[in-house]
Amino acid sequence: ALAVRLAAERRTRLDPALFVRGRAAVARGDVKGMIEADLAFHRALYQASDNPLIEQSALLHWHHIRRAMGETLQTSALREPVWDEHEAIAQAVAEGDAERAEQIMRGHNDRASRHLDHGLQARSGRADETVTATLNSVVR
């Protein structure tokens, strides 16, 4: 949320290729491609914040997030809607609407966290507490 707020203050325009890449991975059903595109989008936001500590801190958790995403994206209903959310975040950032960008990002993070947690529970019968704790620390 802080990254999008700072990026919005700078009215940063993200590369449209990020969204093309993400939606193409969804269309192909390419889970690895979806994860890579998602990470590229979030990294672009971290970098747009112009605060290197945000990216450094967040990337420490992406190893675990990638594993959880790999499991849940196998059958996820969020594959396409996540890119609608990404585009809405990017639009608010480009317009300089820090409040809206932060609000959309918080909702995006909450939905993703709940979805990943639910997907892990469904696959294993219980949530992996380490992964859930990591996800919650990243998205808050």
Side-chain angles (χ1 to χ4, degrees):
L2 176 59
V4 298
R5 174 170 287 286
L6 294 172
E9 289 171 3
R10 299 166 49 92
R11 294 182 181 266
T12 304
R13 295 198 179 276
L14 298 182
D15 183 352
L18 291 167
F19 309 104
V20 171
R21 179 179 171 196
R23 290 190 186 277
V26 169
R28 291 189 312 271
D30 176 4
V31 172
K32 182 179 179 192
M34 287 181 235
I35 294 169
E36 290 171 357
D38 194 86
L39 177 56
F41 169 77
H42 287 274
R43 286 189 80 169
L45 287 172
Y46 305 149
Q47 292 165 4
S49 77
D50 199 33
N51 181 330
L53 295 176
I54 293 174
E55 183 175 19
Q56 290 171 12
S57 299
L59 290 180
L60 294 173
H61 301 283
W62 270 93
H63 173 73
H64 301 290
I65 294 170
R66 289 172 62 100
R67 290 185 332 176
M69 287 175 71
E71 284 295 315
T72 59
L73 285 173
Q74 299 294 324
T75 58
S76 176
L78 288 182
R79 288 177 172 181
E80 189 66 32
V82 75
W83 287 99
D84 296 337
E85 291 176 1
H86 286 174
E87 287 187 2
I89 292 164
Q91 181 178 359
V93 166
E95 292 170 359
D97 191 340
E99 292 293 324
R100 193 176 88 210
E102 185 175 350
Q103 178 184 17
I104 297 168
M105 179 57 87
R106 287 189 187 281
H108 172 72
N109 288 342
D110 287 345
R111 278 184 293 285
S113 180
R114 283 193 312 272
H115 188 77
L116 290 172
D117 185 50
H118 177 74
L120 291 172
Q121 286 183 35
R123 289 215 182 271
S124 69
R126 63 172 180 72
D128 179 344
E129 294 174 12
T130 303
V131 172
T132 300
T134 299
L135 290 172
N136 287 334
S137 72
V138 170
V139 299
R140 303 251 187 268

